Amino acid sequence: MNTRLQGMELFVEVAKTRNFSRAAENLGIPKSTLSRQVAELERSVGLQLLARTTRKVELTAAGQLYFERCERIVAEAQVVHEELQNLVETPSGPLRVNMPADFGTDFMAEAFVAFSQKYPDVTFYLDQASPEHANRVFQTCDVSVEIGELPDSNQIARPLGMLPAYLYASPDYLARHGEPRHPSDLTRHECLEFRAGRGGRVTRWPLHNGERHIEITPGHRYSVNSISMLRSLTNLGAGIAILAPVRAVQADLESSQLKRILPDWHAGPFPVYAVTDTRLLPAKTRIFIEFLMERLRLAPLGQDSASLFP
């Protein structure tokens, strides 16, 4: 609080009670501190505001005028302070969220609905921007959900979960090119490249099988930054892709449009973060991030998305 405003607040309490001891008790500060700060206020305005005796405190003429003007100012400042505290404690107002388009559709839609049911005073402005726009994200949003390792920056990243992924191909592609039996066979196949994260970084293929780890660099015939496009190309037999087991992929498996290959191996998992440009967050942003962290902790990323947000 501004020092002058704080002095006004202390003076107003003394003027109301006409007693330093009672005013200090009401304010929760030592009497000596209260007396010193009121004296500093008098010095700053250049006038005596209170006439003190051993038995009572009275307002001077200047003090009466100052009290009449300051009482309203202090009351309005207290109202503003309470309103700001309410913003910190109660989620309300528009919440602007940026996220990868496909991840938002598959994983986030039900979270938004669940959160809005719990906090009806929050409204959503959702931006499923492409990675090229990510470096400008905080000009237009409160929080950005991002996948993959993040570059060093001044922004604050809170981990939400880990997103596993697996290798898929269409039966048509496998009929034409054969099915790989080991990750080393992938060098002879068309592996679809996906660009993810800020700046469209190329996602390498970190493949794991227990303690065994192999990293593959995908090909360059197809390079995309959309999971939907990647899945469509895979369905059409363009090559092998790494995809998360979301609803659309599960449906493609059930209809035999896709087949999981190298089933003993998995990719990633890839970290998912909630990124903000400051740690000082209003309630709507802070509680939404906590909401996501709790739901993803209870239902880890990579499960069927139907059960991800129960």
Side-chain angles (χ1 to χ4, degrees):
M1 179 180 292
N2 178 276
T3 302
R4 178 67 63 84
L5 181 57
Q6 185 180 41
M8 285 183 186
E9 182 182 24
L10 301 182
F11 165 76
V12 165
E13 190 63 31
V14 175
K16 286 179 178 179
T17 61
R18 306 297 173 96
N19 186 290
F20 271 89
S21 297
R22 194 176 309 127
E25 183 179 347
N26 293 343
L27 292 166
I29 63 175
K31 179 183 174 181
S32 59
T33 300
L34 175 60
S35 179
R36 185 180 67 255
Q37 294 198 11
V38 170
E40 289 175 359
L41 175 65
E42 289 178 312
R43 284 194 294 273
S44 71
V45 299
L47 293 168
Q48 183 180 2
L49 303 175
L50 298 170
R52 306 162 178 83
T53 69
T54 56
R55 289 181 295 184
K56 62 181 180 179
V57 175
E58 295 291 345
L59 290 170
T60 65
Q64 183 63 41
L65 177 62
Y66 197 72
F67 172 68
E68 291 172 358
R69 301 293 178 88
C70 291
E71 184 180 23
R72 180 177 57 81
I73 294 171
V74 168
E76 290 180 352
Q78 289 172 339
V79 169
V80 171
H81 181 75
E82 290 171 0
E83 290 177 349
L84 291 175
Q85 286 298 111
N86 191 52
L87 286 177
V88 172
E89 297 168 1
T90 306
S92 62
L95 178 62
R96 303 168 300 169
V97 184
N98 176 277
M99 76 212 87
D102 306 285
F103 181 84
T105 301
D106 284 321
F107 286 98
M108 300 289 290
E110 290 167 295
F112 293 130
V113 173
F115 189 82
S116 64
Q117 290 171 346
K118 189 172 183 179
Y119 301 104
D121 293 331
V122 174
T123 57
F124 286 99
Y125 183 88
L126 308 180
D127 185 5
Q128 294 181 287
S130 65
E132 287 77 27
H133 300 145
N135 60 342
R136 298 193 299 274
V137 65
F138 294 109
Q139 298 176 16
T140 57
C141 87
D142 300 301
V143 57
S144 176
V145 176
E146 302 192 25
I147 302 173
E149 295 300 335
L150 303 176
D152 292 336
S153 73
N154 295 325
Q155 289 148 359
I156 311 303
R158 298 167 177 83
L160 296 178
M162 301 296 289
L163 183 65
Y166 308 102
L167 290 93
Y168 298 93
S170 71
D172 175 66
Y173 176 87
L174 297 175
R176 289 184 287 113
H177 299 278
E179 183 171 343
R181 302 299 175 185
H182 187 271
S184 60
D185 297 335
L186 293 172
T187 58
R188 300 191 296 272
H189 285 266
E190 187 63 54
C191 297
L192 307 182
E193 178 183 277
F194 179 68
R195 305 190 311 278
R198 302 180 195 179
R201 302 186 310 278
V202 173
T203 300
R204 293 168 66 84
W205 288 13
L207 303 178
H208 309 281
N209 180 353
E211 296 299 318
R212 292 184 291 171
H213 306 280
I214 297 177
E215 191 167 275
I216 301 294
T217 300
H220 300 285
R221 187 175 187 187
Y222 291 98
S223 179
V224 301
N225 66 350
S226 163
I227 294 292
S228 293
M229 176 61 74
L230 186 66
R231 185 173 62 85
S232 294
L233 289 170
T234 310
N235 281 336
L236 293 169
I240 297 170
I242 287 179
L243 299 167
V246 296
R247 282 198 184 102
V249 172
Q250 297 290 352
D252 290 342
L253 289 172
E254 292 170 5
S255 64
S256 299
Q257 290 181 271
L258 285 180
K259 178 182 179 180
R260 182 178 169 185
I261 62 172
L262 297 175
D264 294 334
W265 294 80
H266 64 88
F270 302 101
V272 182
Y273 297 99
V275 183
T276 60
D277 62 349
T278 177
R279 295 185 187 278
L280 299 176
L281 302 175
K284 60 184 179 181
T285 307
R286 173 176 51 81
I287 294 177
F288 178 68
I289 293 173
E290 293 170 355
F291 180 83
L292 287 182
M293 293 173 70
E294 180 66 15
R295 294 177 79 86
L296 296 180
R297 183 182 66 82
L298 294 175
L301 286 169
Q303 292 183 1
D304 177 10
S305 57
S307 63
L308 183 60
F309 295 111

